[in-house]
Amino acid sequence: MFNKKFIQFLGVILILVFHLYSRISSSSLETFIVSSAYIGVDLFFMCSAYSLSKKDHIEYISFIKDRFRHIFIKFIIFAFIYSFLIYRPSYVYSAPLYLLCIDRFLSIVSGIEFIEKGGGAFLWFLSAIMIFYILYPLFINWKNRYKTYIVFIGYIIIRLLLMYLNYDNLFILLDRVPLVLVTYIMVDKKIYIDWKYGFMMIVMGVLIMYVYRNTLNYLYGIPLCIGMAVLSRYVKENRIIDMIASASLEIYALQMMIGTDIYKLIYRFTGISFIINIILFMVIIIMGIMINRVSEKILKI
């Protein structure tokens, strides 16, 4: 269906652009591109759904153990480093600093911060993707011919209920459900989309996102994501792309933890935005690849 590594690579670049890109101009086009780069997260959800949807059955316990080793352990380590070495409360509290750090750490790794703050939570994507990995295999293993309809109806009901309760923190995860279901249907039904239609979906997706550019709704990015996935088939394998894609978790964590600090450091030496972007992205990507290589070797022990 598509080149998974390239889609992951594209997701990494888009996330870096969305969070750390230094504006070169004040053009409306540049503003649109940067503000739309959040679909990098959608591409990651799409990749995960694509990989799992190709399986008829998933051994649930062994799969969760594997995800725990390769994702949640890293999540815990990054949360620990941030909570005890980087995090400093914005307000003055009566409690000792170490207790505040412990409280922040537990809040992050337990998912409480994600539930309370949604996309404002530290490393929210890792909390969200772990929820996805806990639930999606159950969907794959569920032998019901109407399961996609049932889940979609459930999504509509839950979303309406949360809207009624004026609780939108979980929309950042919930509104990725339709894209996941579309990905599952395409894989399950072996739907092949020609590159011409893929290109048309990209154009349509860009137009939709541009028309509604002042409204953040994750549903608008679905046509664009599908179109990108279709055209990614024509991208040849590349070792550099593969390395960056494999280190996507580490790169995501680093840009949230120290991305702004690295930006400030580079800014001291040059105020040219174009150069700042190149150096900043390269530094975070290289650091992410190095950490990924080391961590994967440790996990194999």
Side-chain angles (χ1 to χ4, degrees), residues 32 195-211 220-228 231:
F32 170 66
W195 73 267
K196 300 182 188 69
Y197 296 107
F199 179 77
M200 289 173 61
M201 294 187 78
I202 289 178
V203 173
M204 181 177 67
V206 170
L207 288 174
I208 291 172
M209 294 186 70
Y210 183 78
V211 170
Y220 297 152
I222 292 177
L224 182 56
C225 289
I226 296 173
M228 287 179 172
L231 294 189

Side-chain angles (χ1 to χ4, degrees), residues 107-123:
S107 178
I108 293 171
V109 298
S110 66
I112 293 175
E113 183 168 298
F114 172 62
I115 294 172
E116 292 178 344
K117 299 180 179 180
F122 177 71
L123 295 182

Side-chain angles (χ1 to χ4, degrees), residues 29 32 56 74 223 233:
L29 176 60
F32 170 66
D56 294 325
K74 294 179 182 180
R233 290 198 304 260

